[in-house]
Amino acid sequence: MKNTSADCKVYYYIHNPVSKIGGGFSKNPGEKLSLKEQKDISGKILDYAFPDFFGEEFFRDKVMREEQGKPIYALEGRFFNISHCNYGIAAALSKVPVGVDIEGSRRVKALTVKKCMDDEEKAYIGPIEGEWLKEEQMRRFFHLWTLKESYVKMTGQGIRMPLNQVCFSLGDGLAPAGTEDKGILYGKSRVLKPWGRESLSCILPVSGFSLAVTLGCDKDWKPEILLDKVF
């Protein structure tokens, strides 16, 4: 069994080839992943990832739930989190508390931005004309959305923590459209009701999807984060 010296590793699975429609986003052909497929593939990813990252077998009977419902592993220093979307699955393994979120492309209404984003985030997305976001605005929206989701999942609060109270700054650091595969983008959090400890959040380079991970660690620490496409 392998054992990595990295601080976090994110394993992801993409269902079906994707055909790009510009801006790094995708239009996915074929059937969506069913709930059963999501569950089965998630289990297979964990069976592969635990020996690869921690150097030991994954035991399902050691998975428990915190008071708020977040799955945790019953051995010290072994943290994991899983995310699904219609065409993708991601599992993050870490030596500190972790949350992960993956999203493919879908249309976004202007009203959703109004409900979930603060003024700085709205400015980053840009002026919205009409009922729906344009392609580049969708791309920026989902980077912010996955950062928010990964943060609340890391805390274990989930939907109990309103997304308009978990805000992020990306500034001009976002890679230009079509260049996401060139590196990791770090987001600076502005949490109005903080969890009570430092955290670090970033966007990982997966073409056609937005994939974010948040680690419960000092913001000044730059952990080694690895990415592994599986199956």
Side-chain angles (χ1 to χ4, degrees):
M1 293 184 178
K2 294 172 62 178
N3 186 2
T4 180
S5 60
D7 302 292
C8 176
K9 191 168 183 178
V10 179
Y11 304 80
Y12 70 98
Y13 165 81
I14 302 303
H15 180 63
N16 289 333
V18 297
S19 56
K20 291 186 179 180
I21 57 175
F25 270 90
S26 58
K27 185 176 182 180
N28 297 284
E31 295 294 326
K32 301 175 182 179
L33 287 165
S34 67
L35 293 178
K36 183 179 185 304
E37 287 173 324
Q38 291 179 0
K39 182 178 179 180
D40 290 346
I41 295 170
S42 297
K44 291 178 180 178
I45 293 176
L46 292 175
D47 287 338
Y48 166 79
F50 259 69
D52 180 69
F53 187 79
F54 292 121
E56 59 191 47
E57 186 178 350
F58 174 65
F59 294 101
R60 284 164 175 74
D61 60 356
K62 292 189 181 297
V63 177
M64 308 174 68
R65 290 190 179 271
E66 295 181 326
E67 183 179 347
Q68 303 290 354
K70 179 183 179 181
I72 58 172
Y73 205 64
L75 291 177
E76 185 177 357
R78 289 143 180 86
F79 299 92
F80 78 96
N81 196 237
I82 296 174
S83 176
H84 316 95
C85 65
N86 288 335
Y87 296 96
I89 298 172
L93 275 64
S94 176
K95 297 168 184 176
V96 296
V98 64
V100 67
D101 190 56
I102 185 170
E103 296 287 347
S105 63
R106 62 178 185 270
R107 297 186 73 191
V108 180
K109 285 190 172 184
L111 183 60
T112 304
V113 176
K114 183 178 180 180
K115 289 181 177 180
C116 298
M117 306 293 169
D118 74 352
D119 289 342
E120 183 176 331
E121 292 172 327
K122 291 174 185 174
Y124 177 74
I125 292 171
I128 301 173
E129 300 176 359
E131 185 180 2
W132 301 92
L133 270 63
K134 295 179 181 178
E135 195 170 290
E136 174 61 18
Q137 292 175 322
M138 286 168 49
R139 178 176 170 273
R140 288 174 175 249
F141 170 86
F142 278 114
H143 280 300
L144 291 168
W145 178 273
T146 53
L147 285 169
K148 291 168 178 277
E149 287 280 354
S150 69
Y151 180 91
V152 299
K153 292 180 70 178
M154 181 274 296
T155 67
Q157 295 298 311
I159 61 173
R160 296 172 182 82
M161 185 179 291
L163 294 185
N164 62 1
Q165 296 181 1
V166 182
C167 306
F168 282 87
S169 300
L170 287 171
D172 297 325
L174 188 59
T179 64
E180 293 90 343
D181 289 339
K182 293 187 177 179
I184 293 174
L185 170 69
Y186 289 92
K188 182 179 180 182
S189 63
R190 295 176 284 105
V191 182
L192 302 186
K193 290 186 177 180
W195 178 46
R197 64 176 293 180
E198 296 289 323
S199 64
L200 181 144
S201 302
C202 62
I203 298 291
L204 299 174
V206 176
S207 183
F209 290 80
S210 184
L211 174 58
V213 64
T214 293
L215 302 178
C217 63
D218 192 305
K219 289 182 181 179
D220 295 327
W221 179 46
K222 287 295 185 290
E224 182 181 6
I225 303 173
L226 302 179
L227 194 59
D228 187 0
K229 185 176 182 180
V230 295
F231 314 141

